[in-house]
Amino acid sequence: LLEVDGTEVSDSQVAELSAKLRNLEKTRKELLVQGISPPVRFFMETVLDGGLTHAVVAELGQCLASWRKPRLQPLIRQRRDLLEKRLQLHQDLRDQNPAQVQKELDALSKRLGETEQASEQLSITLDTFWEEVAAISDLSQEMQGLGLRIPHELPDTRTLKSLYAQWAWTL
């Protein structure tokens, strides 16, 4: 086998990719079996089942923003503090033991990464809900083709695309 750039592909590379694909397929099936998370279920019940109107979607967007704000503010402050500490450590790197400062920098970078990950998990928007519902719907359609049972509360892909187009058109 050859790569696109003409380099030869080894058997170990093929085996590694094959293992990754099997793991990905297993993960996708597990995702579908888990069912829909409570926030996405609420979104679907409110927006998709309850009659799609711009007012309902706008109200849900406002509720998300008001829910998100008090949870994000401490994380934003923590991130700012960590960035300031990191800057200070970089400045101290010249004057102090580099090994000790590097150890502190590594620990600080880890905490900064955790803080940013927590912030990202709270960055839920209406688009996030649409994306998750669409991804789950597409996945369920794919899995149905493989003979797996899908959650009954999922709209079919055509209905979802139609509802999204209807909502987007009224913006």
Side-chain angles (χ1 to χ4, degrees), residues 66-102:
S66 65
W67 172 86
R68 192 175 46 238
K69 187 176 180 180
R71 288 165 177 77
L72 278 177
Q73 285 176 340
L75 292 171
I76 291 169
R77 279 192 298 272
Q78 181 179 4
R79 183 178 183 273
R80 187 179 323 119
D81 292 342
L82 290 171
L83 288 171
E84 287 174 3
K85 287 178 186 175
R86 186 173 72 177
L87 177 63
Q88 184 64 42
L89 284 173
H90 276 293
Q91 292 171 349
D92 293 346
L93 192 58
R94 292 175 282 188
D95 303 332
Q96 296 181 4
N97 179 5
Q100 177 64 28
V101 173
Q102 188 60 48

Short mmCIF file of all heavy atoms in Angstrom, two decimals, residues 66-102:
data_model
loop_
_atom_site.label_atom_id
_atom_site.label_comp_id
_atom_site.label_asym_id
_atom_site.label_seq_id
_atom_site.Cartn_x
_atom_site.Cartn_y
_atom_site.Cartn_z
N SER A 66 -28.32 32.97 30.73
CA SER A 66 -28.41 33.31 32.15
C SER A 66 -27.92 32.14 33.02
O SER A 66 -27.38 32.36 34.10
CB SER A 66 -29.83 33.72 32.53
OG SER A 66 -30.71 32.65 32.37
N TRP A 67 -28.07 30.92 32.57
CA TRP A 67 -27.57 29.75 33.29
C TRP A 67 -26.04 29.71 33.22
O TRP A 67 -25.36 29.39 34.19
CB TRP A 67 -28.16 28.48 32.69
CG TRP A 67 -27.58 27.21 33.22
CD1 TRP A 67 -27.97 26.54 34.34
CD2 TRP A 67 -26.51 26.45 32.65
NE1 TRP A 67 -27.20 25.41 34.49
CE2 TRP A 67 -26.31 25.33 33.47
CE3 TRP A 67 -25.72 26.60 31.52
CZ2 TRP A 67 -25.33 24.38 33.20
CZ3 TRP A 67 -24.74 25.66 31.25
CH2 TRP A 67 -24.55 24.55 32.09
N ARG A 68 -25.51 30.02 32.06
CA ARG A 68 -24.08 29.91 31.80
C ARG A 68 -23.26 31.00 32.52
O ARG A 68 -22.17 30.73 33.02
CB ARG A 68 -23.86 29.98 30.29
CG ARG A 68 -22.53 29.62 29.80
CD ARG A 68 -22.44 29.58 28.28
NE ARG A 68 -23.04 30.74 27.65
CZ ARG A 68 -24.03 30.68 26.76
NH1 ARG A 68 -24.50 29.54 26.38
NH2 ARG A 68 -24.52 31.78 26.23
N LYS A 69 -23.77 32.21 32.57
CA LYS A 69 -23.00 33.35 33.07
C LYS A 69 -22.44 33.15 34.48
O LYS A 69 -21.23 33.30 34.69
CB LYS A 69 -23.85 34.62 33.01
CG LYS A 69 -23.08 35.86 33.35
CD LYS A 69 -23.94 37.10 33.18
CE LYS A 69 -23.14 38.34 33.55
NZ LYS A 69 -23.94 39.55 33.39
N PRO A 70 -23.25 32.79 35.49
CA PRO A 70 -22.66 32.64 36.84
C PRO A 70 -21.70 31.46 36.95
O PRO A 70 -20.86 31.43 37.85
CB PRO A 70 -23.88 32.45 37.74
CG PRO A 70 -24.99 32.03 36.87
CD PRO A 70 -24.70 32.58 35.50
N ARG A 71 -21.81 30.51 36.06
CA ARG A 71 -20.91 29.36 36.11
C ARG A 71 -19.58 29.66 35.41
O ARG A 71 -18.55 29.10 35.79
CB ARG A 71 -21.59 28.15 35.46
CG ARG A 71 -22.69 27.59 36.32
CD ARG A 71 -23.60 26.64 35.55
NE ARG A 71 -24.61 26.04 36.39
CZ ARG A 71 -25.71 26.64 36.80
NH1 ARG A 71 -25.95 27.89 36.46
NH2 ARG A 71 -26.58 26.02 37.56
N LEU A 72 -19.62 30.50 34.39
CA LEU A 72 -18.40 30.83 33.65
C LEU A 72 -17.56 31.89 34.35
O LEU A 72 -16.33 31.87 34.23
CB LEU A 72 -18.75 31.30 32.24
CG LEU A 72 -19.01 30.23 31.21
CD1 LEU A 72 -19.40 30.84 29.88
CD2 LEU A 72 -17.80 29.33 31.03
N GLN A 73 -18.17 32.81 35.05
CA GLN A 73 -17.41 33.91 35.66
C GLN A 73 -16.29 33.43 36.59
O GLN A 73 -15.17 33.92 36.48
CB GLN A 73 -18.36 34.87 36.38
CG GLN A 73 -19.13 35.74 35.42
CD GLN A 73 -20.14 36.63 36.12
OE1 GLN A 73 -20.54 36.38 37.24
NE2 GLN A 73 -20.54 37.69 35.42
N PRO A 74 -16.52 32.48 37.49
CA PRO A 74 -15.40 32.03 38.33
C PRO A 74 -14.29 31.37 37.51
O PRO A 74 -13.12 31.51 37.82
CB PRO A 74 -16.03 31.02 39.29
CG PRO A 74 -17.49 31.19 39.18
CD PRO A 74 -17.78 31.86 37.90
N LEU A 75 -14.68 30.66 36.46
CA LEU A 75 -13.66 30.02 35.61
C LEU A 75 -12.85 31.05 34.84
O LEU A 75 -11.65 30.89 34.66
CB LEU A 75 -14.34 29.04 34.64
CG LEU A 75 -14.95 27.81 35.30
CD1 LEU A 75 -15.77 27.02 34.29
CD2 LEU A 75 -13.88 26.94 35.94
N ILE A 76 -13.49 32.12 34.42
CA ILE A 76 -12.78 33.19 33.72
C ILE A 76 -11.79 33.86 34.67
O ILE A 76 -10.63 34.12 34.30
CB ILE A 76 -13.78 34.21 33.13
CG1 ILE A 76 -14.57 33.56 31.99
CG2 ILE A 76 -13.06 35.47 32.66
CD1 ILE A 76 -15.75 34.39 31.52
N ARG A 77 -12.22 34.12 35.91
CA ARG A 77 -11.31 34.72 36.91
C ARG A 77 -10.15 33.77 37.21
O ARG A 77 -9.00 34.19 37.29
CB ARG A 77 -12.07 35.04 38.19
CG ARG A 77 -12.84 36.33 38.13
CD ARG A 77 -13.34 36.76 39.51
NE ARG A 77 -14.26 35.79 40.11
CZ ARG A 77 -15.57 35.80 39.91
NH1 ARG A 77 -16.13 36.70 39.13
NH2 ARG A 77 -16.34 34.89 40.49
N GLN A 78 -10.45 32.49 37.36
CA GLN A 78 -9.41 31.51 37.65
C GLN A 78 -8.42 31.43 36.49
O GLN A 78 -7.20 31.38 36.71
CB GLN A 78 -10.03 30.13 37.89
CG GLN A 78 -9.02 29.07 38.23
CD GLN A 78 -9.66 27.72 38.49
OE1 GLN A 78 -10.86 27.54 38.36
NE2 GLN A 78 -8.84 26.75 38.86
N ARG A 79 -8.91 31.46 35.27
CA ARG A 79 -8.02 31.43 34.10
C ARG A 79 -7.12 32.65 34.07
O ARG A 79 -5.92 32.55 33.81
CB ARG A 79 -8.86 31.35 32.81
CG ARG A 79 -8.02 31.25 31.56
CD ARG A 79 -8.90 31.11 30.32
NE ARG A 79 -8.12 30.93 29.14
CZ ARG A 79 -7.63 31.93 28.40
NH1 ARG A 79 -7.87 33.18 28.75
NH2 ARG A 79 -6.91 31.68 27.34
N ARG A 80 -7.69 33.82 34.35
CA ARG A 80 -6.91 35.05 34.36
C ARG A 80 -5.81 34.96 35.43
O ARG A 80 -4.66 35.31 35.18
CB ARG A 80 -7.81 36.25 34.62
CG ARG A 80 -7.10 37.58 34.49
CD ARG A 80 -7.99 38.79 34.72
NE ARG A 80 -9.34 38.64 34.19
CZ ARG A 80 -10.44 38.69 34.93
NH1 ARG A 80 -10.38 38.92 36.22
NH2 ARG A 80 -11.63 38.56 34.36
N ASP A 81 -6.16 34.48 36.63
CA ASP A 81 -5.17 34.33 37.70
C ASP A 81 -4.05 33.36 37.31
O ASP A 81 -2.87 33.62 37.56
CB ASP A 81 -5.83 33.85 38.99
CG ASP A 81 -6.76 34.88 39.60
OD1 ASP A 81 -6.66 36.07 39.24
OD2 ASP A 81 -7.62 34.47 40.44
N LEU A 82 -4.44 32.26 36.70
CA LEU A 82 -3.44 31.27 36.29
C LEU A 82 -2.51 31.83 35.21
O LEU A 82 -1.30 31.58 35.22
CB LEU A 82 -4.12 29.99 35.79
CG LEU A 82 -4.82 29.16 36.86
CD1 LEU A 82 -5.65 28.06 36.22
CD2 LEU A 82 -3.81 28.58 37.85
N LEU A 83 -3.07 32.60 34.28
CA LEU A 83 -2.24 33.21 33.24
C LEU A 83 -1.27 34.24 33.84
O LEU A 83 -0.12 34.32 33.42
CB LEU A 83 -3.12 33.87 32.16
CG LEU A 83 -3.86 32.91 31.24
CD1 LEU A 83 -4.85 33.66 30.37
CD2 LEU A 83 -2.88 32.12 30.39
N GLU A 84 -1.75 34.99 34.83
CA GLU A 84 -0.86 35.95 35.49
C GLU A 84 0.25 35.23 36.25
O GLU A 84 1.41 35.66 36.22
CB GLU A 84 -1.67 36.85 36.44
CG GLU A 84 -2.53 37.86 35.71
CD GLU A 84 -3.44 38.64 36.64
OE1 GLU A 84 -3.38 38.45 37.87
OE2 GLU A 84 -4.22 39.46 36.12
N LYS A 85 -0.08 34.13 36.92
CA LYS A 85 0.94 33.35 37.63
C LYS A 85 1.95 32.77 36.65
O LYS A 85 3.15 32.74 36.92
CB LYS A 85 0.28 32.23 38.44
CG LYS A 85 -0.45 32.71 39.67
CD LYS A 85 -1.11 31.55 40.39
CE LYS A 85 -1.96 32.04 41.54
NZ LYS A 85 -2.70 30.95 42.19
N ARG A 86 1.46 32.32 35.50
CA ARG A 86 2.35 31.75 34.50
C ARG A 86 3.31 32.82 33.97
O ARG A 86 4.50 32.57 33.80
CB ARG A 86 1.56 31.13 33.35
CG ARG A 86 2.45 30.40 32.35
CD ARG A 86 1.66 29.65 31.33
NE ARG A 86 1.02 30.58 30.41
CZ ARG A 86 0.30 30.22 29.37
NH1 ARG A 86 0.10 28.93 29.13
NH2 ARG A 86 -0.25 31.10 28.59
N LEU A 87 2.80 34.01 33.75
CA LEU A 87 3.65 35.11 33.30
C LEU A 87 4.71 35.42 34.35
O LEU A 87 5.89 35.60 34.02
CB LEU A 87 2.80 36.35 33.01
CG LEU A 87 3.56 37.60 32.60
CD1 LEU A 87 4.30 37.37 31.28
CD2 LEU A 87 2.61 38.78 32.49
N GLN A 88 4.30 35.45 35.61
CA GLN A 88 5.25 35.71 36.70
C GLN A 88 6.32 34.63 36.76
O GLN A 88 7.50 34.92 36.95
CB GLN A 88 4.50 35.82 38.03
CG GLN A 88 5.39 36.18 39.20
CD GLN A 88 6.00 37.56 39.04
OE1 GLN A 88 5.35 38.49 38.63
NE2 GLN A 88 7.28 37.68 39.36
N LEU A 89 5.91 33.38 36.60
CA LEU A 89 6.88 32.28 36.63
C LEU A 89 7.86 32.38 35.47
O LEU A 89 9.05 32.09 35.63
CB LEU A 89 6.17 30.93 36.62
CG LEU A 89 5.53 30.51 37.94
CD1 LEU A 89 4.71 29.24 37.75
CD2 LEU A 89 6.59 30.31 39.01
N HIS A 90 7.38 32.77 34.30
CA HIS A 90 8.29 32.95 33.16
C HIS A 90 9.30 34.05 33.46
O HIS A 90 10.47 33.94 33.08
CB HIS A 90 7.51 33.28 31.89
CG HIS A 90 6.98 32.07 31.19
ND1 HIS A 90 7.78 31.13 30.60
CD2 HIS A 90 5.70 31.64 31.00
CE1 HIS A 90 7.04 30.19 30.07
NE2 HIS A 90 5.77 30.46 30.31
N GLN A 91 8.87 35.09 34.13
CA GLN A 91 9.79 36.17 34.49
C GLN A 91 10.77 35.70 35.56
O GLN A 91 11.93 36.10 35.57
CB GLN A 91 9.02 37.40 34.95
CG GLN A 91 8.24 38.05 33.83
CD GLN A 91 7.30 39.14 34.32
OE1 GLN A 91 7.07 39.29 35.51
NE2 GLN A 91 6.76 39.90 33.37
N ASP A 92 10.32 34.86 36.49
CA ASP A 92 11.18 34.33 37.55
C ASP A 92 12.16 33.29 37.04
O ASP A 92 13.13 32.97 37.72
CB ASP A 92 10.34 33.71 38.66
CG ASP A 92 9.51 34.73 39.42
OD1 ASP A 92 9.77 35.94 39.26
OD2 ASP A 92 8.59 34.31 40.15
N LEU A 93 11.90 32.76 35.87
CA LEU A 93 12.74 31.70 35.31
C LEU A 93 14.20 32.13 35.23
O LEU A 93 15.11 31.33 35.42
CB LEU A 93 12.21 31.30 33.93
CG LEU A 93 12.76 30.05 33.29
CD1 LEU A 93 12.50 28.84 34.19
CD2 LEU A 93 12.10 29.80 31.95
N ARG A 94 14.44 33.41 34.97
CA ARG A 94 15.82 33.91 34.85
C ARG A 94 16.51 33.98 36.20
O ARG A 94 17.71 33.78 36.29
CB ARG A 94 15.80 35.31 34.23
CG ARG A 94 15.35 35.30 32.78
CD ARG A 94 15.25 36.70 32.29
NE ARG A 94 13.97 37.22 32.83
CZ ARG A 94 13.44 38.37 32.52
NH1 ARG A 94 14.06 39.18 31.71
NH2 ARG A 94 12.29 38.74 33.01
N ASP A 95 15.74 34.29 37.26
CA ASP A 95 16.35 34.56 38.56
C ASP A 95 16.40 33.36 39.49
O ASP A 95 17.16 33.36 40.46
CB ASP A 95 15.56 35.68 39.27
CG ASP A 95 15.50 36.95 38.44
OD1 ASP A 95 16.43 37.18 37.64
OD2 ASP A 95 14.51 37.70 38.58
N GLN A 96 15.59 32.35 39.26
CA GLN A 96 15.49 31.23 40.19
C GLN A 96 15.96 29.94 39.54
O GLN A 96 16.34 29.92 38.37
CB GLN A 96 14.05 31.09 40.68
CG GLN A 96 13.58 32.29 41.47
CD GLN A 96 12.15 32.11 41.96
OE1 GLN A 96 11.55 31.07 41.76
NE2 GLN A 96 11.61 33.14 42.59
N ASN A 97 15.87 28.87 40.31
CA ASN A 97 16.25 27.55 39.84
C ASN A 97 15.33 27.14 38.68
O ASN A 97 14.12 26.95 38.88
CB ASN A 97 16.14 26.56 41.00
CG ASN A 97 16.49 25.15 40.60
OD1 ASN A 97 16.91 24.88 39.48
ND2 ASN A 97 16.34 24.23 41.54
N PRO A 98 15.88 26.98 37.48
CA PRO A 98 15.02 26.65 36.31
C PRO A 98 14.25 25.35 36.46
O PRO A 98 13.11 25.26 36.02
CB PRO A 98 16.02 26.56 35.15
CG PRO A 98 17.24 27.28 35.61
CD PRO A 98 17.27 27.18 37.10
N ALA A 99 14.83 24.36 37.10
CA ALA A 99 14.13 23.07 37.25
C ALA A 99 12.90 23.23 38.14
O ALA A 99 11.83 22.69 37.83
CB ALA A 99 15.08 22.04 37.83
N GLN A 100 13.04 23.97 39.23
CA GLN A 100 11.92 24.19 40.15
C GLN A 100 10.83 25.00 39.47
O GLN A 100 9.63 24.69 39.58
CB GLN A 100 12.40 24.89 41.42
CG GLN A 100 11.30 25.23 42.40
CD GLN A 100 10.61 24.00 42.97
OE1 GLN A 100 11.20 22.93 43.07
NE2 GLN A 100 9.35 24.14 43.32
N VAL A 101 11.22 26.05 38.76
CA VAL A 101 10.25 26.90 38.06
C VAL A 101 9.54 26.11 36.98
O VAL A 101 8.32 26.23 36.80
CB VAL A 101 10.94 28.17 37.50
CG1 VAL A 101 9.97 28.96 36.63
CG2 VAL A 101 11.48 29.04 38.62
N GLN A 102 10.28 25.26 36.26
CA GLN A 102 9.67 24.45 35.20
C GLN A 102 8.65 23.49 35.78
O GLN A 102 7.59 23.27 35.19
CB GLN A 102 10.74 23.69 34.42
CG GLN A 102 10.21 22.98 33.21
CD GLN A 102 9.57 23.93 32.21
OE1 GLN A 102 10.15 24.96 31.87
NE2 GLN A 102 8.38 23.61 31.75
#
